[in-house]
Amino acid sequence: MTAIIMDGKQEALNVRKFLAEEIAATYSSPVLAVVQVGDNPASQVYVRNKHKAAAEIGMECRICYVPETASEDELRDLILELNDNDEVNGIIVQLPLPKQFDELKVLSWIKHSKDVDGFSPINAGLLQMNSPEAVVAATPQGIVALLKHYVADLRGKHAVIIGRSNIVGRPLADLLLNQDCTVTVTHSKTLDLPSICKQADILVAACGCAEMVKADWVKKGAAVIDVGINRVDGHLCGDVAFEEVKEVAAYITPVPGGIGPMTVAMLLKNTWNAYKKQNPLMK
Ligand code: NDP
């Protein structure tokens, strides 16, 4: 029996429809500020997509372009100005930054209540401590929302994550631990990765290695989440060999149409939640 496809596109549409209805019922639009430093072509596409997705639900998205030649002080001044601007509810800095900038330092300048990517050290710490005040990074949040929709009870499940980045692997490990999963985080130095993956009830591939996860790495009946976005000969694929793995797994996300749309939807949701917290008296 082939796996049930976890339809991130549909689930994301449901979230966006809900947000559009909520926003339509308020007296003003939430504002998301996107800081883009330099002109990395991939970043330009991501920023355009965020702008379009925000506009579709009635959210304003202000793109603040900073030239690659800008100094650290100039970038910090812009972020501090956005922190103080009461019209702005959420701020994200599009990553990766040009090499001369220290990402962790830049992210730490964003006020934690406006950090709708959840990448600042304060939000990462709050998530690790299982605080309800944490703004949770969009991709891990989207993964858990999709898992809850399809697999329902995550308690006690063994989740294996391939990748330990600050934006996917690490926050996802915290989030799944907070959902009472037993979590194993793997990385490029992990020994015998296939046999560890084979123990997973939930297997999340977030390593950026095209179709690395094969059918014989996957336990029968597992839920397999593919976060990877890779381009091979102009063709988009994930970190999981979808065609063969879907014959073993019980649930699987496609690429595209899985975690990508969920990530955008969760960013919009975080911005809406930030707006509500900053405007407690609104209806
Ligand atoms: P990073 O490059 O920051 O991290 C990759 C992680 O994978 C590292 O921890 C690395 O290990 C590990 N890794 C790399 N190669 C291997 C290997 N052969 N075996 C085991 N582990 C390995 O990537 P990101 O976390 O930012 O992104 C991962 C993937 O997810 C990318 O394809 C990216 O495009 C995609 N992505 C998709 C999103 C979406 O919305 N769908 C959002 C964000 C990312 P080590 O730490 O040892 O170097």
Side-chain angles (χ1 to χ4, degrees):
M1 215 171 80
T2 59
I4 292 170
I5 306 298
M6 301 169 88
D7 189 347
K9 203 169 163 188
Q10 184 56 52
E11 191 56 20
L13 266 176
N14 296 344
V15 173
R16 286 161 57 170
K17 185 167 174 283
F18 170 79
L19 294 175
E21 285 166 6
E22 294 265 293
I23 291 169
T26 58
Y27 56 85
S28 65
S29 291
V31 176
L32 169 66
V34 180
V35 178
Q36 192 196 331
V37 186
D39 7 68
N40 176 325
S43 292
Q44 284 175 332
V45 174
Y46 288 130
V47 169
R48 261 203 311 275
N49 289 346
K50 285 168 190 171
H51 185 277
K52 183 167 172 273
E56 280 169 8
I57 62 161
M59 186 180 281
E60 187 186 334
C61 179
R62 295 183 189 168
I63 298 171
C64 307
Y65 178 71
V66 178
E68 186 148 359
T69 50
S71 67
E72 193 180 278
D73 283 351
E74 285 169 313
L75 181 55
R76 194 190 56 229
D77 287 350
L78 169 65
I79 292 175
L80 298 186
E81 205 178 290
L82 294 169
N83 281 344
D84 288 342
N85 184 342
D86 289 340
E87 285 179 13
V88 173
N89 307 107
I91 303 167
I92 64 171
V93 174
Q94 185 64 42
L95 301 179
L97 287 173
K99 282 189 183 55
Q100 66 272 28
F101 293 101
D102 174 346
E103 281 187 359
L104 195 56
K105 194 171 176 186
V106 171
L107 294 172
S108 71
W109 294 331
I110 304 173
K111 199 192 246 184
H112 108 266
S113 56
K114 292 192 179 185
D115 167 35
V116 288
D117 255 343
F119 295 162
S120 72
I122 291 187
N123 275 317
L126 288 170
L127 173 64
Q128 193 168 48
M129 299 174 97
N130 198 10
S131 163
E133 292 304 311
V135 180
V136 180
T139 303
Q141 194 182 156
I143 292 170
V144 170
L146 208 53
L147 278 170
K148 280 183 157 175
H149 182 80
Y150 283 92
V151 180
D153 192 3
L154 306 182
R155 268 179 309 173
K157 299 274 190 323
H158 184 194
V160 173
I161 303 167
I162 310 174
R164 56 175 165 179
S165 71
N166 288 338
I167 65 170
V168 187
R170 285 173 200 264
L172 179 63
D174 291 332
L175 203 52
L176 288 172
L177 195 59
N178 296 344
Q179 294 292 324
D180 296 327
C181 287
T182 301
V183 182
T184 303
V185 181
T186 67
H187 48 79
S188 68
K189 312 294 183 293
T190 297
L191 300 178
D192 199 5
L193 184 59
S195 76
I196 295 172
C197 292
K198 189 122 193 181
Q199 296 167 31
D201 303 308
I202 296 166
L203 177 60
V204 182
C207 53
C209 303
E211 301 189 342
M212 184 179 80
V213 175
K214 307 294 184 207
D216 60 359
W217 294 32
V218 176
K219 178 159 126 183
K220 200 168 168 31
V224 178
I225 303 282
D226 192 352
V227 185
I229 303 175
N230 309 289
R231 234 167 242 289
V232 179
D233 303 330
H235 152 84
L236 199 66
C237 69
D239 292 343
V240 174
F242 181 85
E243 288 304 325
E244 56 180 270
V245 171
K246 79 175 178 6
E247 302 305 322
V248 183
Y251 303 95
I252 190 167
T253 59
V255 176
I259 299 307
M262 289 302 287
T263 296
V264 177
M266 295 301 134
L267 170 67
L268 300 174
K269 186 175 163 203
N270 281 349
T271 308
W272 172 242
N273 287 341
Y275 170 88
K276 283 194 296 184
K277 273 194 181 165
Q278 292 156 26
N279 297 276
L281 297 180
M282 101 191 155
K283 199 177 143 297

